[in-house]
Amino acid sequence: MLTDRAARPSTGLPSSIPPGFRSDTIPGAARCLLVGCHGRLTGVIQQAVDRCPCCGYRTGCTTCPVCFWTDDGRRDADAGMVAGGPNGDVSLSDARLNFAIYGASHRRYQDVVRQPRSDELP
């Protein structure tokens, strides 16, 4: 005898999500952008992703793949301060200038950065 759970094809989603659920039917919810999701994730609402303080792209990563700046909490008020840490001897102001010139927060990272995707544009 098959149970309800065994009768459903495996989707990799939690079992609390009813078959055929679509998040785009919820008022205020955006269409899910995950490939293959088809809007079945419960409560998926598109949220703003943090911008990188160096390049400004919306990667939402601690270490930005577009400029390779590691977000250490510095912002415009203390952009000229060199604090050491994950970004070494580069201030946020210098990293922004380096990004404009080299396409990376530091010249040495030119080979590890990538172009921003369309969904990461400011």
Side-chain angles (χ1 to χ4, degrees), residues 45-66:
I45 297 176
Q46 195 170 8
Q47 297 178 357
V49 177
D50 292 335
R51 287 182 184 216
C52 172
C54 177
C55 66
Y57 290 105
R58 297 181 182 276
T59 59
C61 300
T62 303
T63 299
C64 178
V66 176

